[in-house]
Structure formats: C-alpha cells, structure tokens
Amino acid sequence: MTQSLFNNIIVVDDDPDVLSQMDRIFQKMGKKNFKGFPGAEPAIKELESNTSAYDIIFVDVRMPVISGIALVQYIKTHVNKKIRDCFCVPLVGSIGKEDKAIISEFHFFETLTKPIAEKDFLKRFEELE
C-alpha cells in the first residue's frame, strides 16, 4: 500500500449537492481531513487561518461573488508558500470557449467534469496521487 499524497483536502463549490457527494466519496476513501466550502470567501479564510497546509483543492470554476478562477489566482500568487503550493483541480460543468481559455492559461494538470461519477473520480484521484 502506497502512502497517500493528498490527505488534507478542500472542495469549494456553490452547489451543496456536489459538496455532499464529495464528502461521501472522501469518507469512503478514509480521508478524514476534508473540508467543503460553499464559496471562495470561507475557503480563503480557512487557508489563511489554518496552521497546516492543504494538499489539494478542488475548485468550481463558476461561482458567484468570487469565481473559482479568481480563487486559484489568489492561491497561486499568495505570499505564503503553504497556500501557494496547494495543488488545484478545477471542477467544471459544461465548458465554453471562455472557460477553456482561462483553464489553459493556468496549465492545469487535471480537470474534473461535473456531475462527478464516483467510480471515475476514485480512479482519477488514485492516478493523481
């Protein structure tokens, strides 16, 4: 059995169904350090106040107030290394030309499409680790 790289996990999505689904998936995986947030603002507060680093952050691209892309920009340009070095994975529904351009600008290694299929997610998560 290999050591898990992603133990401290955040999911940021304005859809409560996505947050509950991810919570169920991570519980099945035995991931105890998972937190879900309904928007970027509470996620930023968590990142700034938590003394330990998060390993991976799943971010909904399209959210009201602060978009997922703005959140990723905030993370990747943060002065604090423990925040800046978080591995970010965008969660996307249907992708338009604008989203594709923005996503490609960040050179994301992986994106996840919603709705999330649990079996596919588990396989992809394992591949990422």
Side-chain angles (χ1 to χ4, degrees):
M1 188 167 147
T2 60
Q3 179 71 20
S4 179
L5 296 176
F6 301 130
N7 293 307
N8 297 321
I9 302 164
I10 289 180
V11 176
V12 185
D13 198 305
D14 59 327
D15 184 342
D17 292 336
V18 171
L19 292 177
S20 6
Q21 180 187 23
M22 296 293 272
D23 183 39
R24 284 190 305 275
I25 290 171
F26 289 127
Q27 283 183 25
K28 284 182 183 179
M29 293 172 72
K31 302 287 185 184
K32 294 178 178 41
N33 295 326
F34 159 77
K35 291 185 179 178
F37 296 97
E41 291 169 323
I44 288 170
K45 286 179 185 172
E46 173 65 21
L47 288 166
E48 300 249 335
S49 66
N50 194 345
T51 55
S52 60
Y54 281 94
D55 303 312
I56 189 166
I57 302 174
F58 296 93
V59 181
D60 182 10
V61 171
R62 293 196 177 255
M63 292 186 293
V65 185
I66 300 174
S67 74
I69 294 300
L71 175 58
V72 171
Q73 286 174 321
Y74 171 84
I75 290 167
K76 293 302 174 191
T77 58
H78 201 279
V79 67
N80 187 331
K81 185 175 176 16
K82 80 173 177 71
I83 294 173
R84 187 177 61 242
D85 289 347
C86 292
F87 188 76
C88 295
V89 177
L91 298 171
V92 294
S94 59
I95 300 179
K97 285 183 182 180
E98 181 182 312
D99 290 330
K100 283 182 184 177
I102 292 168
I103 288 170
S104 68
E105 181 182 319
F106 281 94
H107 306 288
F108 286 113
F109 177 72
E110 182 72 40
T111 59
L112 291 175
T113 306
K114 298 188 294 183
I116 296 167
E118 184 176 331
K119 188 176 179 181
D120 292 338
F121 176 82
L122 292 170
K123 181 181 176 200
R124 291 174 87 181
F125 191 87
E126 187 177 296
E127 288 169 357
L128 284 173
E129 288 194 302

